[in-house]
Amino acid sequence: MRMGVLGSGMVAQGLSARLAELGHEIMIGTREAEKLRGWQSSNQKVIIGSFAETAAHGEMLFNATSGQGSLNALSLAGEENLAGKVLVDVSNPLDFSGGFPPSLTVFGTDSLAEQIQRAFPRTRVVKTLNTVTARVMTHPLEVANGDHHVFISSDDVDAKAQVTALLRSFGWIHVFDLGDLSTARGTEAYLLLWLRLYGSMNTGMINVKIMK
Amino acid sequence: MRMGVLGSGMVAQGLSARLAELGHEIMIGTREAEKLRGWQSSNQKVIIGSFAETAAHGEMLFNATSGQGSLNALSLAGEENLAGKVLVDVSNPLDFSGGFPPSLTVFGTDSLAEQIQRAFPRTRVVKTLNTVTARVMTHPLEVANGDHHVFISSDDVDAKAQVTALLRSFGWIHVFDLGDLSTARGTEAYLLLWLRLYGSMNTGMINVKIMK
């Protein structure tokens, strides 16, 4: 499938490389193409484009920009280029203005995922993968042989099913359907615990498993 | 050990009953003693007292009041009665002013646990158990045979060790030391995910296990 990944950081790079490896036609969208030239030399199947070109290219899109810049990046991508498409939002609204550890820019009664959905009502926003580090997103079997959970939230049941299938292609075994997009308030808030787990364990190669 | 449990809800009742069962001398502190008479008839080892009486009674104390009322309840308990003692804070700063699901009254750059510690600097605040429902707090083996984690946060290493020993007496196998009290920002924020898990699974008899 043609897919567009918005962002140029480790998450965007990791997603693009993995999706290309799985046979998808990937464009990575950035305002800083030069920053990606070195990376691209070992990922030659991935095309570099602007945000708008990348959004136009993809039948399915990924928001892997930094949370504070996501709404602006998506505006640059263009409302028409996003319309009708599944947008997998893997970002977190981290607020580093007070230093580390960060707080969140939106919280409790709203979420970044919902802000994006309201800003782009014709786009089918699916929140997922934001609770794990970049490597775990795309290679879940590298943590506890995949015996842990990823969460998925969306108002669009069909979009959620499409993204669940994609997650399974990454190797995800346990995909936990939390419900509508407002449940992203939970997974975004969880980042504040994740950051502390990361701090304690000195590795991001971790995740949670829901036990009952 | 003489212990005081502040609060009169399900969490306070469950903690008091379990601690009494384990042989501790328990007083439960409330402003509404009448509310507890029926419960007490089947928990006759537990004494009912005021907040101040309960704080004076306990060598170790539990804050099991509702988060929004915790600072006021602790003020009523009395700074002198709390001084020098370990206070196990199991509360969450849930804000139901906007309906259900709740938000939090404090978040990101602060936590209820830290607010309590600042208000009562001579008290040894330990945050734990707030990430599970009342029954799981005291009977962890009833979920997945105990194969899941409880978190613990405190600035006082010795207090943390004492509370860890108590948690083990409840049956907790995996006690995750997150670090200083600021890490309670993580476990308090996690409540917003927990509430969504509860909503999806229709049971509070759940928890997370950290996988690596």
Side-chain angles (χ1 to χ4, degrees), chain A residues 152-196:
Chain A
I152 188 165
S153 307
S154 180
D155 294 335
D156 186 318
V157 172
D158 177 61
K160 203 151 50 173
Q162 286 183 48
V163 176
T164 298
L166 184 77
L167 292 171
R168 298 212 183 281
S169 76
F170 286 166
W172 281 98
I173 299 166
H174 303 307
V175 180
F176 193 107
D177 184 352
L178 273 180
D180 67 31
L181 199 60
S182 75
T183 62
R185 299 173 196 175
T187 58
E188 292 180 8
Y190 164 79
L191 251 283
L192 296 189
L193 177 57
W194 185 90
L195 288 161
R196 300 303 188 140

Side-chain angles (χ1 to χ4, degrees), chain B residues 3 15 18-19 22 24 60 62 88-90 126-132 136-141 149-153 159-177:
Chain B
M3 295 182 176
L15 281 169
R18 181 69 160 144
L19 291 165
L22 292 171
H24 300 289
M60 180 183 282
F62 294 79
V88 185
D89 175 30
V90 307
V126 178
K127 187 91 194 191
T128 191
L129 292 175
N130 61 304
T131 55
V132 292
V136 180
M137 289 183 185
T138 54
H139 296 79
L141 299 178
H149 284 85
V150 67
F151 304 100
I152 190 164
S153 308
K160 204 151 49 174
Q162 286 182 47
V163 177
T164 298
L166 185 76
L167 293 172
R168 297 212 182 282
S169 76
F170 287 166
W172 281 98
I173 299 165
H174 303 307
V175 180
F176 193 107
D177 184 352

Side-chain angles (χ1 to χ4, degrees), chain A residues 107 192 196 207 209 211, chain B residues 107 182 192 200 207 209 211:
Chain A
F107 173 74
L192 296 189
R196 300 303 188 140
N207 195 11
K209 180 182 179 186
M211 307 298 284
Chain B
F107 173 75
S182 76
L192 297 188
S200 289
N207 196 10
K209 181 183 179 186
M211 307 297 285

